[in-house]
């Protein structure tokens, strides 16, 4: 049991470092993903990724809350696929042709950061 406590402490400290990291300390893909998220995703998913953007109230299916366990459990490949191809019968449309592969990966990195932050 004494081994899991230090590992848990290290995990908490690593996560906490992301929460207070200065912009210059963030990985480049996260920094590149932020303006993409703000331009294409924020209006539905909200500033902090809670699914509470200004257009969310008009949608017949609510936007994904990136803080929900079901969202956090999705692999990067699953998120990339949703962004690239959209979700059939939902307001989440395809960004294929709008965003290139690198931009999609960058926005996934930013979504991962948002999902670790609080309000």
């Amino acid at each position: 049991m004494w081994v899991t406590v230090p590992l848990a402490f290290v995990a908490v400290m690593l996560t906490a470092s992301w929460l207070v990291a200065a912009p210059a300390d963030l990985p480049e893909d996260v920094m590149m993903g932020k303006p993409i998220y703000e331009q294409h995703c924020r209006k539905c998913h909200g500033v902090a990724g809670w699914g509470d953007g200004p257009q969310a109230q008009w949608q017949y299916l609510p936007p994904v809350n990136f803080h929900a366990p079901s969202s956090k459990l999705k692999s990067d490949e699953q998120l990339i696929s949703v962004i690239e191809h959209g979700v059939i019968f939902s307001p989440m449309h395809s960004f294929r042709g709008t965003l290139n592969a690198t931009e999609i990966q960058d926005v996934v990195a930013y979504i991962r950061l948002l999902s670790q932050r609080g309000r």
Side-chain angles (χ1 to χ4, degrees), residues 87-99:
V87 177
I88 193 165
F89 303 121
S90 85
M92 179 63 194
H93 63 277
S94 167
F95 282 92
R96 181 182 231 164
T98 302
L99 301 176

Side-chain angles (χ1 to χ4, degrees), residues 6-19:
L7 292 176
F9 179 74
V10 170
V12 168
M13 294 309 293
L14 289 173
T15 302
S17 69
W18 278 87
L19 299 176

Side-chain angles (χ1 to χ4, degrees), residues 74-85 108 112:
K74 290 182 180 172
S75 68
D76 286 356
E77 290 77 20
Q78 288 172 309
L79 293 175
I80 288 168
S81 179
V82 167
I83 295 167
E84 184 176 0
H85 303 291
V108 166
R112 293 292 187 203

Side-chain angles (χ1 to χ4, degrees), residues 32-100:
M32 299 300 289
K34 182 178 180 181
I36 298 166
Y37 179 90
E38 290 176 347
Q39 180 179 357
H40 298 288
C41 313
R42 184 177 65 182
K43 62 187 168 219
C44 297
H45 294 283
V47 172
W50 291 93
D52 60 352
Q55 292 185 3
Q57 65 182 333
W58 308 111
Q59 296 178 0
Y60 56 90
L61 289 176
V64 168
N65 171 356
F66 296 125
H67 300 271
S70 60
S71 180
K72 289 181 180 184
L73 290 174
K74 290 182 180 172
S75 68
D76 286 356
E77 290 77 20
Q78 288 172 309
L79 293 175
I80 288 168
S81 179
V82 167
I83 295 167
E84 184 176 0
H85 303 291
V87 177
I88 193 165
F89 303 121
S90 85
M92 179 63 194
H93 63 277
S94 167
F95 282 92
R96 181 182 231 164
T98 302
L99 301 176
N100 65 40

Side-chain angles (χ1 to χ4, degrees), residues 100-118:
N100 65 40
T102 302
E103 291 170 324
I104 292 173
Q105 289 173 339
D106 292 346
V107 81
V108 166
Y110 186 71
I111 288 167
R112 293 292 187 203
L113 174 66
L114 287 180
S115 72
Q116 298 301 315
R117 291 183 170 178

